[in-house]
Structures are given as C-alpha cells and as structure tokens.
Amino acid sequence: MSPYIINTLETKIARFEHLLSAAPITIYTRKPFADFGITFISNSVKELLGHEADAFIFFPDSWLSHVHPEDHPVVLENFHRILLGDATIIKYRFKMKDGQWKWIRDRAKLITDSAGRALEIIGGWTDMTELIQTEEALKQSEKKHRFLLEQVNAGVIVQTPDTRVVSCNRQATHLLGLTEQQLLGKSAADFEHVFINEDGTLTALDDFPVNQVIDTHKAVKSRVLGIERSDIDEIVWVMVNAFAEFDNNGGIGVVNTTLIDITPHIKSQEKIHRLAHYDSLTQLPNRVLINERIEQAIHYSYRENKSFSLLFLDLDDFKIVNDSLGHHYGDALLRQVAQRLEHSLRETDSAGRLGGDEFVVILNNTNADGAAAAAQKIIHLFKDPFAVDGQVLSIQTSIGISIYPKNGCDSNTLTRHADIAMYHAKQEGRGRFSFFDFKMNTRLEYRLGMERELRLAIEENQFLVYYQPQIDLTSERIIGIEALIRWRHPQRGMISPADFIPVAEDCGLINPIGEWVLRRACEDMKTWQASGFAPLKVAVNLSLRQLQEGTLFNKISNILAQNGIAGSQLELELTESVMMENHSVTLNFMTQCKDLGIHFSIDDFGTGYSSLSYLTKLPLLDKLKIDRSFIQELFKNNDANTIVGAIVNMAKSLRLKVIAEGVETEQQLDYLRDCGCDTVQGFYFSPPVSYEALTQLLAQEELIA
Ligand code: C2E
Ligand code: CA
Ligand code: CA
C-alpha cells in the first residue's frame, strides 16, 4: 500500500463534500412520503438560492413554501409519480433569499432497499433561469418576428436549396395569388405563373432570383419582376431581393426572398414613359421615340450591312383645314391619318408624328425601290377622303425620302435630308414623293436665307408696287390696273415675286407684305384721284394665308376708309384653288367685302382644278382672268384657241366679265376681241410699271381723250 494513499472515512467524507459543493448541481435527499421534507442538501444551495443548507435541514418541510404557489400542484404530482418508481424531471420556480424567482430543474429518483421498500428520494437542482429566459426571449422574438413578417408590406418566401418553399408570409401569398398550402413544398419550377423581366422578356427558370442565389452564392438585389397571374388581368410588379443563409459547413441553408409590390410605381412609370415617347393626339411614337427607333435602325443596318429608308410626310394644305374649320377638325383628321398610316405598315416598320402635320415612317431593311413603292402606297392611302363629323375632307401628303447610309449616317442628318426632300416634293406639285439629293441642300439654305432677308426687307422698306394697266377692248382705254409687288434688293437688284411670294406665303410673312401692298395701292389711287384722273379700279392679289388670318376684312375696310377709296374701286384677285376651298371663312370674307362693293376675280383661271361647274356655285364672283399660259399658246396650239373661246363663252353665259392676261401680240389681241373678251392685260400694251411711269400713261390717256 502506498504511503501516499489516505483513505480514512474522514478524508472520504471531505472528498465527497467537496465534490458535492463543486458540482454544478445541488444534490439533496428527501423523505419518500408526506411533504417530501429535505433530509440532506449540499452546501452549493447557498450559491444557488442564497439560503443556507441548514435552513432546509432544520426545517425539512419548509422547502415547499419557497416554491411558487402556481407550481405546487405540478411539483407534488411529480413527486407522487416518483414514488411509483418513475425518475422525473420537474421544472419549477423557487424563491431566492432576496425574493427573486429562479427556475429550477429538479431531477429526482426513488431509492429503495433490496426488498423494494422506499428509502429516500435523491435528486439534484440545476439553475435553469438563464436558459428558460433565453428560451422565453426566443419564443417572444419568434412571435415578434412572425408578427413583423405579417405586418411588413413585403412578401417573404423561405426556400430550401432545392427551391422548395418552407415558409412564406401572407403578403407573399397575396402577391402570388396562392394560398399558403398551395405555396408550401412547391419548387420554383412548379409555379404556373409567367414571370417577366423589366424589359418584357420572359424570365428563364435559371434566371429566377432564388436560382441565381443558389448558383452564385451571392445575394440578388433590387431585381424587378412582373408576375402574370391567371386569376387577374393585370401584371403584378415586384421588386425582389434574395439572399442565402449559410449553414455551418458554408453550404446554403435556406434562401430568403422578399417581394415588394411596386405595381403602382411601374404604372406611373409607364404613364410617364408613354407621355415622353408617344404623341398624345395620335398615340403614335413622338419625336423622341422616333429618334430612338432611327438610332436602332442605324445600329441594326450597320451591323447587318443593310440599308433602310426614312420617309418624311407633310400633309398638303393642312393649315387650311385647321384654320378654317377649327382645331377639332384638324385633330380628328390627324388621328385618322395616323390610323391609316399605321394600318398600312409592315410589322417591322414604324410610323411616328413629329408634331403639327408632320409624320415620319421608318422602313427597315428597305432600299430605294422599296421606299418608292411604300411612298406610293402611302400617297394612295389619301385617295379616299376623310370624314369628320359628317364633313368630307380631302387631303394629300408630300413625302421626302432619305436612305441610310447613302443620305446620312445619323438620325439628325437623315431626318433633315428627308425633310428637304419633302420640301422638294411640295415644290414639284404636292401629293408626290422625292428622294433626297445632295443638290437640294443648297436650295433649302437659299430659302432660309430668303426668309431672313424678307424680314429685313419689310423693316427697311425694300418693296415697291408696280402697276400694269388693264385695257377695255371696246374703248381701248385703261379702265383698271393690277398692283404687282417688286422687291428691290440692295445687293441682288430686282427679285421677282414669283421667287419670293411662295416663300413669304410659307413662312407667314405674306400677311404683313400683302397688307402693305393694299395700303400702298390705295394711297397711290388717292393721289391719282386728287390729281383729277378719271376713277380707276385697282386689282390686288390675295393669298390664302391672308384670308385665313381672319382680320383681313377689317384691315381692308380701314385702308379704304383712310384713303377715301370706294369699295367698288377695289378688285381682289384670288386663285382658283383658294376659291375652290369654298370654306365658310372664304365665303364669309367675300360676303363682307361684297357689302362694301368690292369686286372679285379668279386669277390664273384654267390652271387649277379646271372644273367649270364650280363657277356656278360662286355667286359672289365678278370676273374671270384667263391664265397667260393659254394666251401664249394661241395660234401655236389649236386646242388653246378652242379652250380660250369656250372659256369666254361660258363666262358670258354665267354673266361674268372676262380678262385675258399676258397678251403680247396683236394676233392674240384680235382673237380675244373676236371671242368677245372684255379686257386685256399684257406687254402688248404695257408691262407692269412704276408709280411715276403709270402716272405718265394716265396723263397721256387724258390727252388723247
Ligand atoms: P399674276 O397675278 O398672274 O401676275 C401677272 C404676272 O404676269 C406678273 O408677273 C406680270 O409681270 C406678268 N405679265 C404681265 N403681262 C405679261 C405678258 O404680256 N407676258 C408675260 N410673259 N408676263 C406678263 P409678276 O409681277 O412677276 O408677278 C408674278 C406673280 O407674283 C403674280 O402673278 C402673282 O401671283 C404674284 N404677286 C405679285 N404681286 C403680288 C402681291 O402683291 N400679292 C400676292 N399675293 N401675290 C403677288
Ligand atoms: Ca394676279
Ligand atoms: Ca395671273
């Protein structure tokens, strides 16, 4: 026996007591009956509950008084069960010395002798407070968590690494239109919904946020997805965030996906997009979107080495409809034009409205031949008149074509060149199309330059009025004059009205210019009258734009009054096309003028619609002026003689006066006299001359008379 081994009873007890007090459990023994009084308890109870061990030993039954009254039944019941031989674990609250409650786990067992008689109950107390508190806190936090999940506006879906749904909240079921039962256990592939991306394309299965997280182990942030459900018509738009929770091995435990409903946001975004990209009147793409489409076409054509065409449409005389019938008609007409355009196009082509009466058509993958065919087809679309509120409106369009890459390589240039070509088509006679040609560029620049110079000409008084006498064929005397404007340009000299009047009409400058001519003519008439010359009639040319302004009648009557000129001394020359419009505005204007005694004559008769029947519908008309092209053809072309004869006859039968313009020869003059023509005007008698020269002519006449 080793001298170092001490095994006295004393040391054994000491060792045992130390073990007991060092153990994390407070060991006790108690009576196996009645109130289960404590017979022994280890000193560690002091640490556990603050009570001395002796306090239990001296008052064995006192322990129950420390137990929370609510826990008495369960404790006693359990000890009774122990008596039946079952080892039991009980949890109950025990009052500490300082009055605080501690959770105790009591693990107890019955000890019996070899005959099976109960000797005592042995057990141990463990402090459970912290654990139970954590458990409780956990339970609370889980409850709160769940509450938050339900309250929060986001849908939450938790999925396993094989994408099976293990939990979801109410908002998730709401957004997906599925019940919790329908969702739980489903994997991503099981969803019958169609998911779409922000750009409208379908979302592929492996592109689902959950699958992306699983593939990459990275979170998916702020992904926008549309959910097309079978139960509702609208697409539900959600902002999706998804992230993985990893397990201890670094593998994915679950994937959490949150879905936030952004449908209202997307809807207003769509509205804004629509507003920014579509024309609200016709619903066609507007300038912005058209430019984008042209860029796309350029992109595609460049890559594929192809060409495409750009058609620039401008309706002919649209302003007449708008100004005379009102915007309501104009707008309705534009809408119908847009519809016809859109219906006529191939799916790959697109039409848009640039504003006003300007439209654009992009013909993808189209060369010059294709563009010409398409342009012809579009012009044909305008053959049938449009109907607005029972009113039949006929309108045509002029089209300019530019072709990528021949006529330009960027959207701006292509559009500008198509515009120039369109302008060219208008000049060629409207209702037709033109291809862009680099020569046209200079022409447009010339036009823009002229517009600038016209404004300057008004400011700097560069205009003059010339007068051309009109001779009565019976008396061979000057009975009238036509006022014809002249522009004495400081550098370029005299510019023909044939060159600048169309530009002035186009940009609206014809209104101030035309008014100026009227005023000057009346002022000159006043001077001649004051000089004692026999009363004359002055003819002034009017453009459609002037009629459309609406204030023309007032201006005319003011000018007449200011100069003391009778209305019967003024004749207004309107072209056939202006008369043909026959709009209420024109008729109204003519009626007002008639009340002042003002005369009307049709200028350039025969060059316009050449429809004689409409003359019968114009009771306000006084005179018909045979266009000089017919006079010039007399004796060169037999038809011309026949036509001129017929025009004079017809005019007579309608009780209209007839004047022939552009008379240059005696032969022409004789023929016209034979036909019964009343008056002539032309170089044969006199070209248009200045105020001074005309005064001379008038003075000569007086002498002859
Ligand atoms: P228009 O009204 O047909 O005027 C007659 C034109 O024929 C004038 O040209 C005149 O100079 C020209 N002419 C006259 N007799 C003869 C002739 O025997 N032979 C030939 N070959 N030509 C002759 P002009 O003055 O150059 O005017 C051209 C056009 O400009 C006018 O054609 C008219 O449409 C327009 N215009 C001129 N002045 C005004 C104006 O004050 N207001 C408006 N709105 N237009 C005007
Ligand atoms: Ca004229
Ligand atoms: Ca004329």
Side-chain angles (χ1 to χ4, degrees):
M1 227 191 204
S2 160
Y4 295 103
I5 297 172
I6 305 156
N7 241 342
T8 60
L9 181 63
E10 216 167 87
T11 54
K12 272 184 187 168
I13 289 173
R15 216 178 275 147
F16 177 67
E17 278 190 343
H18 173 72
L19 275 175
L20 279 184
S21 56
I25 303 178
T26 300
I27 303 291
Y28 66 78
T29 57
R30 57 175 81 217
K31 297 180 238 166
F33 52 84
D35 40 20
F36 307 102
I38 289 185
T39 48
F40 165 81
I41 192 155
S42 57
N43 284 334
S44 57
V45 73
K46 170 108 201 302
E47 209 179 309
L48 181 68
L49 300 171
H51 299 282
E52 296 291 340
D54 291 347
F56 293 98
I57 310 296
F58 294 145
F59 307 100
D61 309 333
S62 69
W63 72 276
L64 197 60
S65 65
H66 294 289
V67 172
H68 197 287
E70 270 179 27
D71 297 336
H72 285 193
V74 65
V75 171
L76 292 173
E77 187 191 318
N78 272 285
F79 277 116
H80 284 294
R81 187 176 300 145
I82 290 168
L83 295 182
L84 301 174
D86 302 338
T88 296
I89 296 170
I90 328 158
K91 273 183 222 159
Y92 52 90
R93 281 159 289 180
F94 214 105
K95 194 187 251 159
M96 304 204 333
K97 184 119 189 259
D98 62 4
Q100 295 269 52
W101 293 99
K102 237 183 191 174
W103 277 100
I104 296 296
R105 192 176 78 156
D106 195 343
R107 193 192 169 93
K109 189 180 175 345
L110 182 71
I111 304 293
T112 53
D113 63 12
S114 52
R117 280 184 302 245
L119 290 178
E120 61 179 355
I121 291 173
I122 183 163
W125 287 343
T126 328
D127 185 353
M128 294 287 292
T129 314
E130 221 165 279
L131 202 73
I132 289 207
Q133 270 170 0
T134 329
E135 238 170 48
E136 189 58 28
L138 248 168
K139 241 190 241 158
Q140 285 299 331
S141 101
E142 209 165 80
K143 228 168 145 187
K144 197 162 124 195
H145 190 66
R146 188 79 210 170
F147 176 78
L148 278 177
L149 268 189
E150 295 303 345
Q151 290 305 305
V152 80
N153 238 341
V156 179
I157 299 175
V158 182
Q159 284 158 286
T160 53
D162 62 356
T163 75
R164 267 172 215 293
V165 176
V166 286
S167 82
C168 61
N169 69 350
R170 205 175 311 138
Q171 177 69 352
T173 64
H174 180 70
L175 288 172
L176 291 164
L178 297 169
T179 62
E180 196 172 345
Q181 283 73 30
Q182 287 172 316
L183 259 172
L184 290 177
K186 253 195 191 169
S187 66
D190 297 334
F191 285 109
E192 275 156 26
H193 297 329
V194 177
F195 290 86
I196 55 179
N197 300 318
E198 213 173 352
D199 61 5
T201 56
L202 292 188
T203 315
L205 187 59
D206 56 9
D207 197 25
F208 274 22
V210 62
N211 289 326
Q212 285 208 315
V213 169
I214 291 162
D215 286 350
T216 62
H217 281 211
K218 284 199 190 107
V220 169
K221 281 184 190 144
S222 309
R223 173 84 181 274
V224 173
L225 280 185
I227 309 170
E228 271 184 17
R229 286 160 41 176
S230 49
D231 57 334
I232 51 171
D233 280 342
E234 276 191 354
I235 295 176
V236 175
W237 287 96
V238 287
M239 161 95 74
V240 183
N241 284 289
F243 61 97
E245 272 178 46
F246 296 97
D247 58 24
N248 292 336
N249 306 319
I252 291 179
V254 289
V255 178
N256 299 306
T257 305
T258 61
L259 314 165
I260 296 169
D261 187 1
I262 53 165
T263 312
H265 173 79
I266 292 276
K267 267 196 203 153
S268 58
Q269 193 174 298
E270 267 168 16
K271 249 185 230 153
I272 292 166
H273 185 268
R274 245 209 114 68
L275 272 181
H277 290 84
Y278 289 85
D279 165 44
S280 57
L281 179 69
T282 62
Q283 301 307 322
L284 286 182
N286 67 7
R287 188 181 292 273
V288 175
L289 187 55
I290 274 294
N291 272 336
E292 274 175 28
R293 298 232 167 122
I294 296 174
E295 298 292 349
Q296 280 166 10
I298 290 173
H299 209 76
Y300 167 84
S301 305
Y302 177 78
R303 214 179 44 216
E304 304 286 317
N305 204 11
K306 296 236 162 85
S307 63
F308 76 92
S309 315
L310 189 67
L311 271 52
F312 193 110
L313 281 72
D314 187 293
L315 306 187
D316 299 330
D317 296 324
F318 173 73
K319 284 199 169 56
I320 297 175
V321 175
N322 225 14
D323 295 351
S324 57
L325 292 178
H327 288 287
H328 165 67
Y329 282 90
D331 288 354
L333 183 61
L334 288 174
R335 267 196 292 265
Q336 289 191 28
V337 166
Q339 269 171 15
R340 283 196 196 174
L341 252 186
E342 219 174 16
H343 286 148
S344 76
L345 294 181
R346 295 179 304 182
E347 206 151 288
T348 47
D349 302 334
S350 51
R353 177 172 173 237
L354 295 182
D357 58 345
E358 291 175 351
F359 294 86
V360 152
V361 174
I362 305 167
L363 302 168
N364 277 303
N365 216 340
T366 305
N367 58 14
D369 288 343
Q376 197 52 59
K377 193 170 134 201
I378 290 172
I379 285 168
H380 201 80
L381 288 179
F382 289 78
K383 276 257 151 28
D384 288 332
F386 297 82
V388 178
D389 284 356
Q391 183 112 10
V392 175
L393 305 172
S394 287
I395 200 153
Q396 0 174 54
T397 183
S398 299
I399 303 177
I401 306 171
S402 66
I403 294 176
Y404 171 92
K406 202 172 88 185
N407 302 146
C409 289
D410 62 87
S411 148
N412 256 345
T413 312
L414 284 165
T415 314
R416 193 161 45 86
H417 286 171
D419 186 10
I420 290 172
M422 182 281 296
Y423 184 72
H424 183 79
K426 285 237 188 226
Q427 283 182 322
E428 294 282 286
R430 296 157 183 240
R432 61 184 70 204
F433 66 88
S434 273
F435 283 100
F436 172 75
D437 183 320
F438 276 97
K439 275 180 251 151
M440 292 175 183
N441 240 337
T442 46
R443 239 176 284 176
L444 188 81
E445 276 158 23
Y446 170 77
R447 196 191 95 96
L448 290 175
M450 178 172 291
E451 195 178 316
R452 264 195 306 276
E453 289 189 300
L454 274 176
R455 288 181 199 279
L456 197 70
I458 296 173
E459 274 172 37
E460 298 189 347
N461 266 323
Q462 296 171 8
F463 296 116
L464 303 167
V465 175
Y466 270 34
Y467 298 98
Q468 186 173 33
Q470 300 178 329
I471 316 301
D472 176 69
L473 281 186
T474 341
S475 65
E476 298 233 330
R477 288 182 57 113
I478 301 174
I479 53 151
I481 48 177
E482 181 178 13
L484 293 159
I485 192 168
R486 293 291 175 266
W487 179 9
R488 197 180 356 231
H489 191 279
Q491 283 86 41
R492 288 194 275 152
M494 283 294 192
I495 299 177
S496 162
D499 287 336
F500 70 83
I501 291 290
V503 178
E505 284 176 336
D506 242 36
C507 63
L509 286 175
I510 191 63
N511 289 322
I513 292 174
E515 191 186 332
W516 179 83
V517 171
L518 255 164
R519 187 179 302 278
R520 170 43 49 88
C522 288
E523 284 167 1
D524 288 348
M525 289 279 284
K526 184 184 172 187
T527 323
W528 284 317
Q529 229 154 274
S531 313
F533 290 121
L536 283 170
K537 206 193 281 174
V538 65
V540 176
N541 294 283
L542 280 192
S543 293
L544 182 60
R545 277 295 276 265
Q546 290 174 270
L547 286 184
Q548 289 166 346
E549 209 192 16
T551 53
L552 186 62
F553 173 73
N554 285 340
K555 282 179 180 158
I556 292 175
S557 66
N558 283 341
I559 290 171
L560 288 174
Q562 280 160 12
N563 293 287
I565 306 293
S568 57
Q569 284 179 273
L570 179 64
E571 185 167 85
L572 297 173
E573 293 193 5
L574 298 172
T575 59
E576 262 181 289
S577 53
V578 175
M579 295 255 188
M580 267 296 278
E581 294 300 333
N582 199 11
H583 287 314
S584 50
V585 177
T586 314
L587 281 176
N588 201 24
F589 169 74
M590 287 177 80
T591 316
Q592 284 180 306
C593 288
K594 275 275 126 174
D595 289 344
L596 285 187
I598 297 172
H599 297 262
F600 283 96
S601 77
I602 298 190
D603 203 355
D604 304 343
F605 184 81
T607 57
Y609 290 81
S610 302
S611 141
L612 302 177
S613 64
Y614 79 90
L615 286 178
T616 56
K617 294 176 193 144
L618 290 173
L620 303 172
L621 203 63
D622 303 279
K623 198 188 270 182
L624 188 153
K625 198 175 200 180
I626 306 175
D627 188 67
R628 62 177 178 276
S629 60
F630 293 101
I631 308 304
Q632 248 127 51
E633 285 299 299
L634 286 176
F635 300 103
K636 292 181 190 159
N637 179 339
N638 274 342
D639 288 345
N641 288 46
T642 318
I643 290 169
V644 169
I647 292 176
V648 176
N649 269 329
M650 183 219 37
K652 292 280 136 184
S653 71
L654 290 169
R655 293 195 179 77
L656 292 173
K657 296 249 178 228
V658 186
I659 181 171
E661 66 177 351
V663 178
E664 296 179 353
T665 67
E666 195 166 0
Q667 195 186 26
Q668 291 164 351
L669 182 72
D670 289 341
Y671 181 78
L672 288 163
R673 190 185 282 121
D674 290 348
C675 284
C677 184
D678 306 297
T679 329
V680 290
Q681 179 185 340
F683 293 168
Y684 180 76
F685 285 104
S686 166
V689 294
S690 67
Y691 165 81
E692 293 77 14
L694 190 82
T695 311
Q696 290 270 313
L697 279 178
L698 291 176
Q700 269 173 33
E701 285 237 325
E702 295 282 315
L703 283 176
I704 296 165

